[in-house]
Amino acid sequence: MTSFHCGAALVASEVGVRFADGVRLEIDGGVIAALDVNASPQPGDLRLSAVVPGFVNAHSHAFHRLLRGRTHDDGGDFWQWRTRMYESAAALTPDGYRELATRVFTEMRDAGYTEVREFHYVHHRLDGSPYPAHDMEIALAEAATAVGIRLLLLDTLYLRGGVGSPLLPEQTRFGDGDVPGWLSRWFGLREALSRFPLVALGAAVHSVRAVEPDDLAAVAAGLPADVPLHVHVSEQPAENEACLAAYGLTPTGLLAQHGLVTSRLSAVHATHLTDDDIRLLGDAGATIVMCPTTEADLGDGIGPAPELLTAGARLTIGSDQNAVIDPWEEVARLELDQRLRLQRRGIFSPAQLWRAGSETEGFAVGMPFDAVELDLGSPRVVGAALEQLPLVARSGDVTATIVAGRVTRPER
């Protein structure tokens, strides 16, 4: 049992976002076993200042970090950027990926992320032959373990190079041949990852461009129902146009037709949606992963986040290509980009912004103690109402990150 005393902390409340003073927490096995407010510190307590729940990075491609600051020359659209990304993917080895992911996950942890959901498809050797023991996936698990960040590894199905097209040569190492081949590897990987306490296995379909409709049905039938499923959805207008031309449906409509638009779905980006798409995702209670800094960097557009929330979907944030690793920036842009789009302020409440960033509105008994300590003396946040910190704080204001009760100070 470990105990902490926080000068102030965001705690769960029936009346919305609430910061309480003098919050004392007892942690058992990384989980909050007791929580008291207006409490005095006790001998042996670890003392913290202002503490909030840790942020969840719901969409990351760790190796895209290699492209940061290297793709702005000659303009360039999403598709030109993708060519550069494939070049980076071709250079990855298990040892190199472990080293790279360790750096990227460290940057995430120090910025305030306590969990990363890694959308992973660089599975095999360049010629498509498998590594002997899930080497690329184990490299990511070892990196997360060394850093002390939770990892949901989203092992990704990637079978086609585009609608009606085979994999391109530069995509060969992403593929598993067919859905049964992917599922067989997925179940073997789940067993291999069981020795990593901070690591869990989820699943992803890269996009409707990367599979055939029958593949979607096979995923729905073969993947255990309790496994989180993530999909890139309508990031680019060209994706919608190709899907409509081939199948007469939007990507969301195609996923729904094959039983994949459910509460376990996380639709990533969801930028270019129809009203029917919004209704389908909202009715299912799906999660929408907005990645504002990436969507801005790639010129993707601004998705209908408030409409999705009103329809019943849930909002989260992700760093995606890791051109920026700062959860505070993602959450602030979630609000600010919508202000530009809708030309008004106050799109989301403070509680909605905290929930988008951390998937909770505050600490409560029974939760893992995953947290971020902040410097309230920072020039950026002095004088701000604590409830509105998502709009003003940034990663440089983080003074400690706590995962399962383990405290780590930033490497700066």
Side-chain angles (χ1 to χ4, degrees):
M1 186 82 74
T2 306
S3 57
F4 292 83
H5 187 272
C6 310
L10 187 67
V11 297
S13 168
E14 295 180 356
V15 296
V17 175
R18 175 192 172 210
F19 272 86
D21 293 327
V23 177
R24 188 171 185 274
L25 301 158
E26 293 184 357
I27 311 302
D28 187 5
V31 175
I32 300 173
L35 185 157
D36 295 306
V37 301
N38 298 318
S40 299
Q42 302 297 314
D45 287 352
L46 298 175
R47 303 286 291 273
L48 300 171
S49 56
V51 177
V52 300
F55 288 91
V56 175
N57 187 349
H59 187 68
S60 164
H61 300 285
F63 80 90
H64 291 189
R65 170 63 181 83
L66 293 169
L67 298 174
R68 183 189 292 177
R70 298 178 58 201
T71 61
H72 191 64
D73 54 318
D74 301 322
D77 60 12
F78 170 86
W79 307 103
Q80 289 172 288
W81 172 89
R82 190 177 72 157
T83 298
R84 300 282 293 276
M85 179 268 289
Y86 288 152
E87 294 170 359
S88 296
L92 293 176
T93 64
D95 287 344
Y97 207 4
R98 183 185 303 104
E99 180 181 349
L100 171 63
T102 299
R103 296 200 308 268
V104 175
F105 293 163
T106 297
E107 187 177 357
M108 290 179 188
R109 182 202 65 199
D110 291 351
Y113 286 119
T114 55
E115 178 181 341
V116 55
R117 297 172 186 168
E118 181 67 21
F119 200 105
H120 167 69
Y121 48 81
V122 188
H123 303 303
H124 306 303
R125 295 186 175 95
L126 278 175
D127 63 2
S129 60
Y131 285 100
H134 308 286
D135 295 36
M136 295 297 274
E137 293 76 25
I138 296 299
L140 289 168
E142 289 174 343
T145 299
V147 169
I149 192 170
R150 295 187 192 275
L151 170 66
L152 178 63
L153 184 60
L154 299 165
D155 194 85
T156 302
L157 177 67
Y158 202 138
L159 301 177
R160 311 289 291 179
V163 175
S165 303
L167 289 174
L168 298 169
E170 56 265 36
Q171 297 169 322
T172 300
R173 69 185 312 186
F174 307 162
D176 286 293
D178 53 26
V179 176
W182 172 69
L183 284 170
S184 175
R185 188 177 55 75
W186 187 92
F187 280 103
L189 177 58
R190 184 164 67 169
E191 176 64 26
L193 292 176
S194 62
R195 61 189 173 92
F196 297 97
L198 292 178
V199 179
L201 183 63
V205 173
H206 179 272
S207 61
V208 298
R209 303 192 313 271
V211 294
E212 297 289 337
D214 287 349
D215 298 326
L216 297 175
V219 170
L223 193 67
D226 61 345
V227 173
L229 179 68
H230 291 226
V231 187
H232 291 127
V233 175
S234 294
E235 181 178 5
Q236 292 286 323
E239 175 186 332
N240 289 354
E241 293 162 6
C243 192
L244 283 164
Y247 311 120
L249 293 166
T250 64
T252 299
L254 187 65
L255 292 168
Q257 185 181 66
H258 295 282
L260 294 180
V261 178
T262 68
S263 60
R264 75 163 168 177
L265 175 69
S266 286
V268 181
H269 301 301
T271 305
H272 302 282
L273 300 180
T274 67
D275 290 343
D276 283 343
D277 293 339
I278 293 170
R279 177 186 54 79
L280 285 168
L281 292 164
D283 287 349
T287 297
I288 310 300
V289 187
M290 296 285 181
C291 305
T293 61
T294 286
E295 289 146 10
D297 182 73
L298 297 180
D300 288 344
I302 301 172
E307 293 90 336
L308 285 157
L309 192 63
T310 298
R314 294 165 290 180
L315 295 181
T316 57
I317 51 108
S319 66
D320 193 3
Q321 62 162 327
N322 297 303
V324 174
I325 296 180
D326 189 335
W328 307 90
E329 181 73 18
E330 303 292 350
V331 173
R333 290 200 66 144
L334 189 65
E335 166 72 21
L336 298 177
D337 287 355
Q338 294 299 325
R339 291 183 186 184
L340 291 172
R341 170 179 169 251
L342 300 173
Q343 299 181 44
R344 59 184 175 86
R345 303 179 80 237
I347 309 301
F348 301 111
S349 70
Q352 289 169 331
L353 293 176
W354 283 113
R355 191 184 304 118
S358 65
E359 300 189 1
T360 179
E361 292 180 16
F363 297 114
V365 172
M367 290 174 48
F369 187 44
D370 295 351
V372 178
E373 181 189 45
L374 289 167
D375 175 13
L376 296 184
S378 158
R380 281 177 292 269
V381 303
V382 165
L386 296 185
E387 292 79 7
Q388 297 181 35
L389 284 174
L391 292 171
V392 295
R394 292 297 184 268
S395 61
D397 303 318
V398 172
T399 52
T401 303
I402 301 101
V403 177
R406 173 189 170 190
V407 180
T408 305
R409 300 290 174 180
E411 297 181 7
R412 295 188 180 124

